[in-house]
Amino acid sequence: MNKFIPLIISGVIAIGAVGCEAPSRTSADAPSGTNENVNPPAQDTAQKTQEDATSQVRKDQIESDIRSREQRNDATGGDAQRDDDDLESEVRGKLEANLPASQLTIDAEEGAVTVAGTVPTQEQLNKIPTLAQEIKGVKSVKVNAKVAPAQPESKTNN
């Protein structure tokens, strides 16, 4: 019984924090919501996002996050019924690792995942549903993202 008290307390804290969280994003420049209009990123921004997403440190973080959630789900038996925040986080990690230079926002509600934002190519846009469906607990995927190659930053002469 004493072993379950910390688990129950941490669960209550986690549930309280969930109500305050925004959708999960693949980069700081991704839209803040899945209904927000998106613009193509600047080339510098896209390159920095891609470098971050493909760095070994980031890949290790993503793999660690996925392992942690899998262990928690194994311990709780929660493979079929997944927390929305876990789905958002796992889908975000999957997309971030496989679609470099994307600027995506992921929202999940009862297994229905919505992905919005921009990707640099049609090929990457086509991969979104397949990658998202690989995550346990994803029941459906709605893609509101669009292809928007990075734009050169405009320079003004003063």
Side-chain angles (χ1 to χ4, degrees), residues 13-61:
I13 292 170
I15 290 171
V18 167
C20 302
E21 292 188 28
S24 195
R25 304 181 326 169
T26 59
S27 73
D29 297 316
S32 59
T34 55
N35 295 324
E36 185 178 316
N37 288 333
V38 295
N39 297 314
Q43 278 182 328
D44 289 348
T45 301
Q47 185 165 352
K48 287 178 187 173
T49 301
Q50 182 169 357
E51 288 170 3
D52 178 54
T54 57
S55 75
Q56 189 59 46
V57 170
R58 186 64 189 128
K59 287 179 181 179
D60 291 345
Q61 288 173 334

Side-chain angles (χ1 to χ4, degrees), residues 20-26 31-35 85 88-89 92 104-108 114:
C20 302
E21 292 188 28
S24 195
R25 304 181 326 169
T26 59
S32 59
T34 55
N35 295 324
D85 287 336
E88 288 174 9
S89 181
R92 184 211 54 188
L104 300 171
T105 300
I106 296 86
D107 192 22
T114 302

Side-chain angles (χ1 to χ4, degrees), residues 1 21 39 46 59 66 68 85 87-88 93 95 107 110 117 119 130 140-141 143 151 155:
M1 182 67 176
E21 292 188 28
N39 297 314
K59 287 179 181 179
I66 290 170
S68 297
D85 287 336
L87 286 179
E88 288 174 9
L95 296 179
D107 192 22
E110 297 180 15
V119 292
T130 305
S140 66
V141 180
V143 179
Q151 301 294 314
K155 296 180 181 177

Side-chain angles (χ1 to χ4, degrees), residues 79-82 87 110-113 133 135-140:
D79 279 351
Q81 193 71 353
R82 304 288 304 280
L87 286 179
E110 297 180 15
V113 174
Q133 287 285 354
I135 304 300
K136 288 180 185 177
V138 172
K139 297 174 185 171
S140 66

